DNA sequence: ATCTTTGCAAACTTTTTGCACCAAT
DNA sequence: ATTGGTGCAAAAAGTTTGCAAAGAT
């Protein structure tokens, strides 16, 4: 099983950085491995609590925070408040439809040219996969309300 | 005065859409015209309250909501919670440094190629100037912690 | 044994809402 | 005179924190 190996590898990193391996951390990382890459803290809590009902939401937040410190996890704000979390090994972008809320993934490569442009024009180092791109998905953009974009 | 004209023009749109012109709306739109394009609701409240101390923050939010409905105002989430608001006539992008928080503006044109790519690959209509781009500014990216980006 | 991490409850921040009053048309 | 807008206070929604107890090393 690929995902098992991925979990163990990640746990190795955690230990390597001097952090303890706890039930909560194992469970959260497992949920991140299995659950895809648009999981909110609450999604993760729900998933984790299926097997470990007393792992508290605040523990999820603290775990995520620790994992971000050591670059194992990253989060993205999809626009309307709640953040979504994913393993840093998932390198992709989110295209979020602001009409229907659907999320499309695209490889980071799509943003390479933009990164180059911003670097040369402004010295700005784009952190791809740390922001969501808003717009309208194929279905919603061909519907009644056309995009109000120039 | 250019900004006066801009305010009156905007108020015309408000009236044209069947919305009433109130002291609060005039004041908020004025603040948006004068205050630049990274103003949070609180920033706007502070600005408005200099001359109209009893315009409540909740009124600011409701005004912004109404103005968004009729496409006069748009907002962007800069990552860490609070949203910033701007007139839709300000068409530019925000490059937000996730280390120092500074905000750089870039013309929408910078994102034209990306918009074209996303449209052809996914049928996704990018809404430029509705998202913030996170990364590290020139100063912060040459400092101690290098960007963790491939 | 030590020092991290957790559970809980409570605080916090940003935004939204219910309701009675006020004001623009 | 109507009906839409506002002030206030209180509720949501999402996240963070203080503290004492539990758990990993």
């Amino acid at each position: 099983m690929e995902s098992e190996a991925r979990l163990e590898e990640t746990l190795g990193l955690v230990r390597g950085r001097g952090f303890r391996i706890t039930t909560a951390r194992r469970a959260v990382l497992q949920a991140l491995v299995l659950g895809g890459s648009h999981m909110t803290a609450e999604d993760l809590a729900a998933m984790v609590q299926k097997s470990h009902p007393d792992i508290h939401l605040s523990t999820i937040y603290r775990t995520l925070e620790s994992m971000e410190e050591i670059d194992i996890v990253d989060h993205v704000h999809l626009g309307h408040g709640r953040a979504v979390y994913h393993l840093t090994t998932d390198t992709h972008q989110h295209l979020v439809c602001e009409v229907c809320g659907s999320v499309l993934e695209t490889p980071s490569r799509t943003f390479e040219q933009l990164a180059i442009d911003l670097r040369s024009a402004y010295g700005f180092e784009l952190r791809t996969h740390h922001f969501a791109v808003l717009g309208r998905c194929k279905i919603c953009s061909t519907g009644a309300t056309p995009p109000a974009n120039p």
Side-chain angles (χ1 to χ4, degrees), chain A:
Chain A
M1 205 174 206
E2 159 70 36
S3 63
E4 187 109 342
R6 209 168 155 206
L7 175 58
E8 289 311 320
E9 188 190 313
T10 307
L11 288 172
L13 288 172
V14 176
R15 189 175 278 117
R17 305 289 192 128
F19 284 69
R20 290 178 181 177
I21 309 252
T22 65
T23 314
R25 287 179 180 166
R26 175 176 264 115
V28 170
L29 290 173
Q30 168 140 255
L32 282 169
V33 169
L34 298 175
S37 48
H38 322 125
M39 312 229 79
T40 64
E42 277 210 336
D43 292 342
L44 290 167
M47 197 159 170
V48 160
Q49 286 166 359
K50 277 180 196 159
S51 40
H52 306 275
D54 42 338
I55 291 181
H56 200 273
L57 181 56
S58 71
T59 300
I60 309 277
Y61 277 110
R62 279 194 273 225
T63 299
L64 291 167
E65 191 182 40
S66 308
M67 298 304 101
E68 292 204 3
E69 257 176 55
I70 58 180
D71 283 321
I72 284 177
V73 166
D74 204 354
H75 75 274
V76 179
H77 293 274
L78 294 191
H80 30 271
R82 76 230 69 177
V84 299
Y85 295 83
H86 61 93
L87 295 169
T88 49
T89 46
D90 288 333
T91 60
H92 64 263
Q93 294 293 132
H94 302 92
L95 305 183
V96 181
C97 175
E98 57 186 13
V99 177
C100 72
S102 66
V103 179
L104 242 103
E105 294 185 14
T106 112
S108 283
R109 162 174 42 75
T110 318
F111 292 79
E112 224 153 70
Q113 188 57 50
L114 178 64
I116 291 167
D117 293 348
L118 293 179
R119 187 179 300 119
S120 73
Y122 306 98
F124 187 89
E125 290 294 330
L126 188 61
R127 289 261 288 167
T128 57
H129 60 274
H130 191 79
F131 64 90
V133 174
L134 294 185
R136 300 192 178 180
C137 72
K138 194 169 198 161
I139 294 165
C140 293
S141 66
T142 51
T145 328
N149 224 26

